[in-house]
Amino acid sequence: MLFPMRDYYTPGEVAERFDLTLDTLRYYEREGLLRRVDRSPSGHRRYRADDVELLGLVRCLRDTDMPIARLREFAELVQAGDHTIHDRLDVLQRHQDRLDQRIAELRAHQTAIQHKIDYYVGVLADNAPRTVEETS
Amino acid sequence: MLFPMRDYYTPGEVAERFDLTLDTLRYYEREGLLRRVDRSPSGHRRYRADDVELLGLVRCLRDTDMPIARLREFAELVQAGDHTIHDRLDVLQRHQDRLDQRIAELRAHQTAIQHKIDYYVGVLADNAPRTVEETS
DNA sequence: GCTTGACCTGGAGCGCACTCCAGGCCCCAT
DNA sequence: ATGGGGCCTGGAGTGCGCTCCAGGTCAAGC
């Protein structure tokens, strides 16, 4: 099994699972995106299953361009306890709405770029036959 | 008319049209995203219709996250003349492909986030009725 | 006992895309 | 003639999100 169910995970395991560097992992912790992670007797980090789960969500949100500052706010809600679930939902739902907008925007721009492509293709089509004639 | 057909446009007009600052406009020129723009006798920039058109495309590509460096390469192709149209098409088509990928990625993450939202909604649904009983 | 490898810390550095600033010029309206 | 607006320049500064580094600790294997 690539990522077995266990009590604790090492930094290396977690970094590999989410394709993050150790530096980024520590950076996220410093920035308050994760709670202060447990340590082994020798001081090495030990990520619990719920750290890993939160990190999965963090990764998802970062990959969809949620800024670190908002992720920190979300993480603070998570730490504050179950009574913040409504607020968390709010954060996530707003993010989804922004994502809808962003996707629509990308699509619109993509259409505009396609028009430019079509225009260029037209230019090539107008020129290519002439080139064929010239070379024949 | 908001943006009349004219020989030249002022920096202010162009900035407003594309919702860019004058600083950004100058920055783009410095970075080679536009050719060296014409000047009035007093040294003020005068954007021609084709500057404006290219800027429109630049805006589109930037808004879809094409990095400045690649935009510069594209702008160099534009300046190099009509024989680069094939290369320009290549740049644009690759960008469209990346955009397809990016949109698919955003959608996938959005689905994952939706699962989290649904989970939270479930938690609220499990708790709310109990709260109602308690308060009645 | 020594090396290797995974990890630790605090802090500096980086790349990108702007963004801001001081000091100056020209032109037009009052 | 004076004041304001719009623009000019070169260069410094900003914010974000990492990323890198030096110097150190610890545990396991040869």
Side-chain angles (χ1 to χ4, degrees), chain A residues 10-12 22 26 39 43-45:
Chain A
T10 67
L22 294 177
R26 285 189 289 257
R39 300 305 179 104
H44 290 201
R45 282 173 183 77

Side-chain angles (χ1 to χ4, degrees), chain B residues 39-90:
Chain B
R39 299 307 178 103
S40 75
S42 59
H44 289 201
R45 282 173 182 77
R46 293 171 151 287
Y47 295 89
R48 297 190 316 221
D50 59 346
D51 292 324
V52 172
E53 196 198 321
L54 179 54
L55 203 47
L57 183 55
V58 163
R59 190 61 162 130
C60 233
L61 295 171
R62 269 304 298 139
D63 282 352
T64 49
D65 301 320
M66 181 179 286
I68 298 291
R70 195 171 314 131
L71 272 163
R72 176 166 40 236
E73 288 168 27
F74 184 82
E76 279 162 9
L77 290 177
V78 171
Q79 288 219 49
D82 287 354
H83 66 281
T84 64
I85 286 183
H86 191 83
D87 292 338
R88 290 184 226 171
L89 265 172
D90 207 59

Side-chain angles (χ1 to χ4, degrees), chain B residues 87-127:
Chain B
D87 292 338
R88 290 184 226 171
L89 265 172
D90 207 59
V91 171
L92 295 183
Q93 194 55 61
R94 282 173 190 277
H95 186 65
Q96 296 290 69
D97 292 347
R98 265 185 300 262
L99 257 174
D100 282 339
Q101 271 184 260
R102 178 62 178 151
I103 290 172
E105 196 190 323
L106 290 179
R107 284 203 177 295
H109 288 314
Q110 206 179 25
T111 300
I113 296 163
Q114 193 58 48
H115 290 150
K116 195 72 182 185
I117 288 177
D118 293 346
Y119 165 76
Y120 277 145
V121 168
V123 173
L124 284 187
D126 285 353
N127 289 356

Side-chain angles (χ1 to χ4, degrees), chain A:
Chain A
M1 211 189 278
L2 283 178
F3 203 79
M5 199 58 178
R6 248 193 288 133
D7 281 1
Y8 288 110
Y9 304 91
T10 67
E13 287 166 344
V14 174
E16 185 179 359
R17 160 141 186 200
F18 294 112
D19 195 26
L20 295 169
T21 66
L22 294 177
D23 273 320
T24 300
L25 219 43
R26 285 189 289 257
Y27 168 70
Y28 284 175
E29 189 180 339
R30 268 203 307 283
E31 292 299 309
L33 272 46
L34 272 53
R35 59 175 190 87
R36 206 76 196 162
V37 170
D38 291 352
R39 300 305 179 104
S40 77
S42 60
H44 290 201
R45 282 173 183 77
R46 292 171 151 287
Y47 295 88
R48 299 190 314 221
D50 59 345
D51 292 323
V52 172
E53 196 199 320
L54 180 53
L55 204 47
L57 183 54
V58 164
R59 189 62 161 127
C60 232
L61 295 171
R62 269 304 297 140
D63 283 351
T64 50
D65 301 319
M66 181 180 287
I68 298 290
R70 195 171 314 130
L71 272 163
R72 175 165 40 235
E73 288 168 27
F74 185 81
E76 280 162 8
L77 290 176
V78 171
Q79 289 220 49
D82 287 354
H83 66 280
T84 64
I85 287 182
H86 192 83
D87 291 338
R88 289 184 226 171
L89 265 172
D90 207 58
V91 171
L92 295 183
Q93 194 54 61
R94 283 174 189 278
H95 187 65
Q96 297 289 68
D97 292 347
R98 265 185 301 263
L99 257 173
D100 283 338
Q101 272 184 258
R102 178 62 178 150
I103 290 171
E105 197 189 324
L106 290 179
R107 284 201 178 297
H109 288 313
Q110 207 179 25
T111 301
I113 295 164
Q114 193 57 48
H115 289 148
K116 195 73 182 185
I117 289 176
D118 293 345
Y119 164 77
Y120 277 143
V121 169
V123 173
L124 284 187
D126 286 353
N127 290 356
R130 216 177 302 143
T131 305
V132 169
E133 283 165 27
E134 283 160 8
T135 55
S136 64

